[in-house]
């Protein structure tokens, strides 16, 4: 007879801190079990719940073919095999840290400088966030996080560290913009329960909103953490996905303009998963202005290093100035075009999205499709979208959104034809909803939404010249 698992395994092994049992991950499972393919499985689930940047992968593939010396697994690069394959200092290859620092500067318009000696690598942004949490907080301490926020934060920052995340409630009345009053309210609630707040976590550009933080908001955030003497963590992993105005402003720029701020309280999380589309490379970066954090994080990075083979390839690519200029320009142009396609297609149905200028997704407003202004009604609609419409989108409740009816829709992980099919399916959902409840009013007034007045046919909207891909980016089952 099996012994009780709670008695023989650890608390971590027995708890549900990973958060896998949620709608956010359930949608992925629905796709994995029945993925869409245009010929082999045309009725399968279309994946619009994965923020993956595949629109410019052809450019990367071309560079790899033209630069075989960048890999030790080619005849041209094999001479470096021994040097790369043996043990390496966990500081990382010098050329890797220098290349990453210069690339971060380029993305920020060369308005700031980054010291390569402060670059700490980790296994993706997931590992970076957890490492930073271990450095800054003890079990029972807390970080403030504006809502809505990425569901993975609950796993990355709390599961193994034992810290808490306290929502800073934002809503559509001001397009989910964070305010000082909201920060003070969340901070004071923590004080009432004797919870020690150790920092504020910001995601800029925002996942899931697709918006960027303006200079005023960033300055307010720095003043807040300076007044409270707590840390400021800025997750800037989508910084090179900004394709329109307003542009991206890094917290590093604001720090330069804030001489009274203690720089030891400022930390930046970065990766190449979103900006370059390399989530499989697991390249996460921590940049801290705190010497003690850099030292501790570097020691902890031995639990999740980036392979030296990956470091070598990435350093070579990032150091190719001509290629990176071309890639960044083309990538943002393609992201802008694809988001425009989705926005216009949804507008044809009377569905709005929050105005944004960044990211691989949009924040879609389906509040008028809810049977009631409740999260139960949101989940009911989500189940219809996944099970009947056959599209995986992520419900706002997964992002701790304060209002039901918002959904994150990803658009950069598929080709034009798959996007056309997805829009057709959403259109049928909206038409059916309109037919069933023509008299239903919106549950709440609309935020500042992007709604086009164009009356072009959906097929015309989908005629985009920007996609280089010829096959859907989905996993075919054979």
């Amino acid at each position: 007879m099996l012994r009780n698992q709670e008695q023989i395994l650890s608390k971590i092994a027995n708890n549900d801190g990973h958060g896998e049992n949620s709608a956010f991950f359930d949608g992925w499972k629905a796709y994995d079990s029945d993925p869409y393919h245009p010929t082999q499985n045309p009725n399968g689930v279309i994946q619009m719940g994965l923020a993956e940047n595949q629109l410019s992968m052809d450019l990367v593939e071309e560079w790899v073919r033209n630069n075989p010396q960048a890999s030790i697994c080619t005849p041209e690069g094999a001479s470096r095999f021994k040097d790369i394959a043996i043990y390496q200092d966990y500081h990382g290859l010098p050329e890797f840290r220098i290349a990453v620092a210069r690339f971060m500067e380029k993305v920020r318009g060369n308005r700031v400088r980054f010291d390569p000696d402060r670059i700490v690598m980790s296994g993706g942004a997931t590992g970076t966030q957890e490492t930073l949490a271990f450095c800054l907080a003890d079990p029972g301490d807390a970080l403030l996080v504006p809502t809505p926020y990425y569901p993975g934060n609950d796993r990355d920052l709390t599961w193994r560290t034992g810290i808490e995340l306290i929502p800073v409630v934002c809503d559509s009345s001001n397009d989910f913009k964070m305010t000082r009053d909201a920060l003070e309210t969340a901070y004071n609630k923590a004080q009432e329960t004797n919870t020690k707040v150790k920092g504020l976590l910001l995601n800029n550009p925002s996942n899931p909103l697709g918006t960027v933080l303006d200079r005023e908001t960033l300055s307010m955030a720095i003043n807040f953490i300076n007044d409270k003497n707590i840390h400021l963590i800025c997750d800037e992993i989508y910084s090179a996905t900004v394709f329109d105005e307003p542009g991206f402003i890094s917290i590093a720029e604001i720090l330069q303009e804030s001489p009274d701020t203690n720089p030891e309280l400022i930390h930046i999380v970065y990766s190449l998963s979103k900006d370059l589309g390399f989530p499989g490379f697991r390249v996460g970066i921590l940049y801290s202005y705190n010497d003690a954090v850099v030292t501790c994080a570097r020691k902890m990075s031995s639990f999740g290093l980036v392979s030296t083979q990956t470091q070598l390839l990435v350093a070579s690519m990032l150091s190719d100035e001509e290629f990176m200029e071309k890639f960044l320009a083309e990538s943002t142009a393609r992201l802008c075009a694809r988001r425009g396609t989705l926005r216009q297609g949804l507008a044809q149905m009377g569905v709005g999205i929050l105005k944004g200028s960044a990211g691989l997704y949009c924040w879609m407003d389906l509040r008028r499709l809810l049977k009631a202004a409740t999260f139960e009604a949101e989940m009911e609609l989500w189940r219809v979208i996944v099970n009947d419409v056959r599209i995986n989108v992520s419900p706002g409740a997964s992002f701790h959104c304060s209002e039901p009816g918002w959904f994150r829709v990803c658009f950069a992980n598929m080709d034009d034809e798959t996007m056309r099919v997805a829009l057709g399916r959403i259109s049928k959902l909206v038409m059916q909803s309109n037919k069933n409840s023509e008299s239903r009013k919106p549950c709440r007034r609309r935020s500042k939404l992007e709604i086009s007045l164009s009356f072009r046919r959906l097929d015309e909207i989908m005629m985009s010249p920007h996609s280089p891909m010829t096959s859907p980016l989905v996993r075919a089952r054979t």
Side-chain angles (χ1 to χ4, degrees):
M1 185 174 65
L2 294 175
R3 298 176 61 187
N4 190 317
Q5 295 297 317
E6 293 183 1
Q7 294 178 353
I8 65 174
L9 297 180
S10 70
K11 292 180 179 179
I12 285 183
N14 281 301
N15 71 24
D16 192 31
H18 183 275
E20 188 177 32
N21 297 320
S22 68
F24 182 73
F25 292 106
D26 285 346
W28 290 9
K29 297 171 188 175
Y31 167 77
D32 285 338
S33 65
D34 190 20
Y36 168 83
H37 188 278
T39 57
Q40 298 179 27
N41 192 21
N43 295 318
V45 176
I46 295 176
Q47 175 63 289
M48 301 188 83
L50 181 62
E52 200 166 50
N53 187 359
Q54 299 195 28
L55 295 184
S56 297
M57 195 59 70
D58 62 307
L59 303 180
V60 175
E61 292 172 351
E62 180 184 18
W63 185 91
V64 170
R65 286 191 294 268
N66 293 336
N67 294 270
Q69 75 284 354
S71 171
I72 61 173
C73 297
T74 63
E76 293 83 355
S79 62
R80 294 198 63 182
F81 186 90
K82 179 180 178 181
D83 292 338
I84 296 300
I86 62 177
Y87 275 116
Q88 302 289 337
D89 189 326
Y90 51 53
H91 286 66
L93 298 176
E95 58 261 49
F96 170 77
R97 289 185 286 111
I98 292 171
V100 169
R102 299 293 85 86
F103 179 69
M104 291 174 65
E105 293 168 357
K106 179 187 290 291
V107 170
R108 289 152 184 79
N110 291 310
R111 296 182 295 272
V112 294
R113 302 292 292 176
F114 292 105
D115 181 358
D117 289 335
R118 290 190 175 277
I119 295 287
V120 180
M121 61 180 174
S122 184
T126 294
T128 303
Q129 296 238 87
E130 185 184 59
T131 296
L132 191 52
F134 274 123
C135 291
L136 303 183
D138 294 312
D141 292 343
L143 298 176
L144 305 180
V145 191
T147 64
Y149 66 77
Y150 169 56
N153 286 342
D154 296 311
R155 171 201 63 202
D156 301 351
L157 291 160
T158 73
W159 185 31
R160 300 196 297 186
T161 65
I163 70 171
E164 301 177 25
L165 298 184
I166 297 177
V168 178
V169 179
C170 307
D171 59 49
S172 64
S173 64
N174 65 346
D175 302 316
F176 298 97
K177 186 175 181 179
M178 179 182 66
T179 65
R180 179 69 185 241
D181 285 344
L183 286 171
E184 293 287 357
T185 296
Y187 184 86
N188 291 336
K189 285 185 177 179
Q191 299 298 102
E192 292 172 2
T193 59
N194 294 318
T195 301
K196 188 175 184 180
V197 175
K198 296 300 292 289
L200 168 65
L201 171 64
L202 299 181
N203 182 212
N204 181 36
S206 168
N207 176 12
L209 298 178
T211 57
V212 295
L213 296 178
D214 57 30
R215 190 174 299 275
E216 178 185 8
T217 302
L218 288 169
S219 297
M220 179 271 291
I222 274 194
N223 290 335
F224 174 79
I225 64 102
N226 208 43
D227 292 345
K228 306 297 185 185
N229 194 34
I230 60 176
H231 296 275
L232 177 57
I233 304 169
C234 281
D235 176 352
E236 299 184 346
I237 67 173
Y238 288 94
S239 53
T241 70
V242 179
F243 47 77
D244 202 352
E245 294 297 329
F248 172 68
I249 301 173
S250 172
I251 196 64
E253 296 179 49
I254 306 301
L255 181 60
Q256 287 184 161
E257 303 165 1
S258 308
D260 296 331
T261 297
N262 179 4
E264 294 188 342
L265 298 175
I266 310 298
H267 320 276
I268 297 174
V269 172
Y270 188 57
S271 84
L272 302 182
S273 297
K274 308 302 181 181
D275 287 353
L276 296 184
F278 296 168
F281 277 12
R282 309 311 299 149
V283 178
I285 299 297
L286 167 61
Y287 190 91
S288 176
Y289 294 89
N290 187 309
D291 292 342
V293 169
V294 170
T295 298
C296 181
R298 185 158 285 147
K299 294 174 181 176
M300 296 184 71
S301 71
S302 60
F303 293 101
L305 293 174
V306 179
S307 75
T308 47
Q309 179 180 349
T310 299
Q311 291 182 54
L312 180 67
L313 177 64
V314 167
S316 181
M317 182 182 297
L318 295 183
S319 299
D320 188 334
E321 294 284 341
E322 182 178 353
F323 170 73
M324 293 315 303
E325 288 284 351
K326 173 185 177 182
F327 177 87
L328 290 174
E330 186 64 21
S331 176
T332 53
R334 293 180 184 184
L335 287 172
C336 185
R338 174 55 66 79
R339 189 181 195 275
T341 296
L342 178 60
R343 174 180 60 82
Q344 292 180 53
L346 292 174
Q348 291 288 90
M349 314 166 201
V351 174
I353 62 175
L354 189 72
K355 184 176 177 60
S357 61
L360 314 175
Y361 38 74
C362 67
W363 195 229
M364 179 173 65
D365 182 7
L366 295 183
R367 287 177 291 179
R368 71 181 180 86
L369 270 61
L370 298 182
K371 293 181 178 179
T374 65
F375 286 106
E376 290 78 12
E378 177 183 279
M379 289 306 300
E380 181 181 351
L381 176 59
W382 174 79
R383 283 189 286 269
V384 169
I385 295 174
V386 173
N387 298 325
D388 299 337
V389 182
R390 312 292 286 161
I391 294 177
N392 174 34
V393 297
S394 305
S398 296
F399 298 84
H400 301 268
C401 186
S402 60
E403 304 172 6
W406 294 89
F407 293 79
R408 190 191 71 170
V409 183
C410 299
F411 55 73
N413 62 327
M414 64 188 70
D415 65 2
D416 287 339
E417 175 60 19
T418 305
M419 174 62 72
R420 186 190 69 78
V421 174
L423 283 171
R425 292 183 182 184
I426 297 173
S427 178
K428 291 180 181 178
L429 167 71
V430 175
M431 291 174 61
Q432 185 62 44
S433 177
N434 290 341
K435 185 182 299 183
N436 293 340
S437 54
E438 292 180 356
S439 62
R440 183 179 300 137
K441 300 296 183 181
C443 297
R444 291 195 61 176
R445 73 175 185 84
R446 285 180 179 251
S447 168
K448 180 169 59 181
L449 302 175
E450 296 185 24
I451 299 182
S452 169
L453 295 180
S454 169
F455 288 92
R456 291 185 295 161
R457 291 169 53 245
L458 187 59
D459 288 344
E460 294 175 345
I461 292 173
M462 287 306 305
M463 296 299 291
S464 168
H466 297 284
S467 175
M469 296 174 287
T470 58
S471 62
L473 297 172
V474 295
R475 292 194 293 274
R477 297 299 171 93
T478 57

